[in-house]
């Protein structure tokens, strides 16, 4: 089974302390354990699924819709996992094998404009361990409160109500390419400094296929984007999650 306590896990458990005052207050998390077969004890279950997602409350009426939307999203993710994913993965396990998934979250930004969450999913299944990160950046003071914002919307390249698919694709790729250039340069600087060792076959074309700036970022406490490359994606997994903080101003200057 995965170790339940680690330095990173402890940091993630401090998510309430990390959230600054804003339109939303982080309250008691939505957390629990689901097992397969249903009703089994954790010690004997074939598959154990542990989760902890943030829940929020509005500091005033103007943020009520955002709070409701954010809470509903995480409640849906739990419902979907319990009713579909847990029995599916549990039923796939060979006889005698056990598996465990742990989902932990950190609130990285809570302001009048944004509520950002970094999600870490660790899984041990049939002897293989994996660690995957994702993030959600929610808008709290827009025409669509609680809407998950991707990179071109954060940069103001697209309006929330934009329906022109050609423009959406064009502006998204424009933002993605700009950030990829920043991160690729930073990766090579770290490699030159001996901080990481890039995979031998890694080139920009391959990196472009592996890194999706549109969604692979969260906001820090100042509301600035921090892009991330998954553990083991471009270098040895021992290097962990690679973080690349940028400012909106830096990106806009290059667009």
């Amino acid at each position: 089974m995965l170790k339940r306590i680690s330095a990173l896990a402890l940091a993630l458990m401090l998510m309430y302390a990390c959230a600054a005052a804003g339109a939303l207050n982080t309250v008691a998390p939505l957390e629990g354990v689901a097992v397969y077969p249903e009703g089994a004890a954790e010690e004997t279950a074939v598959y154990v699924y542990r989760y902890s997602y943030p829940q929020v409350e509005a500091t005033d009426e103007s943020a009520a819709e955002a709070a409701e939307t954010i809470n509903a999203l995480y409640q849906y993710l739990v419902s979907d996992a319990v009713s579909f994913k847990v029995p599916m993965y549990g039923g796939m396990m060979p006889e005698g094998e056990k598996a465990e998934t742990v989902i932990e979250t950190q609130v990285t930004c809570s302001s009048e404009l944004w509520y950002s969450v970094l999600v870490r999913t660790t899984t041990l299944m049939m002897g293989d361990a994996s660690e995957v990160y994702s993030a959600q950046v929610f808008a709290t003071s827009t025409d669509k409160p609680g809407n998950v914002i991707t990179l071109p919307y954060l940069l103001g390249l697209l309006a929330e109500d934009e329906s022109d698919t050609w423009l959406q694709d064009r502006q998204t790729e424009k933002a993605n390419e700009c950030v990829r250039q920043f991160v690729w340069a930073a990766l090579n600087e770290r490699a030159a400094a001996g901080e990481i060792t890039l995979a031998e076959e890694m080139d920009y074309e391959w990196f472009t296929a592996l890194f999706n700036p549109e969604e692979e970022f969260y906001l820090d406490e100042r509301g600035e984007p921090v892009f991330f490359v998954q553990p083991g994606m471009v270098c040895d997994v021992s290097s962990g999650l690679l973080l690349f903080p940028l400012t909106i101003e830096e990106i806009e200057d290059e667009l």
Side-chain angles (χ1 to χ4, degrees):
M1 291 293 177
L2 294 169
K3 293 182 179 180
R4 298 183 188 174
I5 298 179
S6 66
L8 179 55
L10 288 173
L12 295 175
M13 290 167 61
L14 296 176
M15 64 179 181
Y16 309 114
C18 295
L24 303 170
N25 284 333
T26 305
V27 295
L30 176 64
E31 59 184 6
V33 180
V35 298
Y36 180 88
E38 186 176 358
E42 291 183 39
E43 295 75 15
T44 59
V46 172
Y47 182 44
V48 178
Y49 182 89
R50 306 177 189 281
Y51 59 88
S52 180
Y53 288 108
Q55 295 284 271
V56 297
E57 62 180 12
T59 57
D60 57 55
E61 188 60 31
S62 65
E65 186 176 348
E68 181 179 352
T69 303
I70 292 169
N71 290 342
L73 171 63
Y74 290 125
Q75 290 162 13
Y76 168 78
L77 292 179
V78 169
S79 174
D80 180 64
V82 171
S83 63
F84 176 68
K85 293 180 180 178
V86 171
M88 181 182 71
Y89 288 125
M92 291 169 52
M93 296 299 297
E95 185 176 354
E97 292 284 349
K98 292 181 179 292
E100 182 177 15
T101 294
V102 179
I103 295 178
E104 301 161 293
T105 54
Q106 177 187 355
V107 177
T108 60
C109 179
S110 181
S111 69
E112 291 298 323
L113 296 177
W114 313 109
Y115 190 83
S116 176
V117 180
L118 179 64
V119 182
R120 176 185 185 237
T121 301
T122 49
T123 300
L124 181 61
M125 186 172 291
M126 290 183 282
D128 292 326
S130 66
E131 181 179 37
V132 178
Y133 290 81
S134 59
Q136 295 88 42
V137 176
F138 299 97
T140 58
S141 299
T142 66
D143 293 337
K144 297 181 179 180
N147 194 33
V148 175
I149 298 297
T150 56
L151 181 59
Y153 295 90
L154 177 71
L155 299 174
L157 297 177
L158 290 171
E160 282 189 280
D161 59 355
E162 181 58 64
S163 59
D164 184 331
T165 56
W166 177 86
L167 184 61
Q168 290 173 341
D169 292 344
R170 178 182 182 277
Q171 298 297 73
T172 297
E173 184 50 37
K174 182 179 179 180
N176 282 346
E177 182 60 20
C178 179
V179 171
R180 285 195 193 104
Q181 293 284 353
F182 271 115
V183 174
W184 178 246
L187 275 173
N188 281 279
E189 288 176 4
R190 294 184 190 182
E195 298 174 13
I196 60 173
T197 301
L198 293 175
E200 289 185 10
E201 61 272 38
M202 184 61 57
D203 58 17
Y204 185 72
E205 183 178 359
W206 190 19
F207 171 69
T208 296
L210 296 174
F211 173 50
N212 181 24
E214 180 185 1
E215 297 181 349
E216 291 182 311
F217 74 95
Y218 61 86
L219 300 184
D220 65 17
E221 66 279 358
R222 301 171 301 155
E224 300 288 3
V226 178
F227 296 89
F228 55 85
V229 175
Q230 302 288 345
M233 192 66 72
V234 299
C235 58
D236 191 86
V237 69
S238 61
S239 296
L241 183 69
L242 303 178
L243 301 178
F244 302 89
L246 293 171
T247 67
I248 293 175
E249 182 178 5
E250 284 177 309
I251 300 170
E252 289 178 337
D253 286 345
E254 293 299 319
L255 287 172

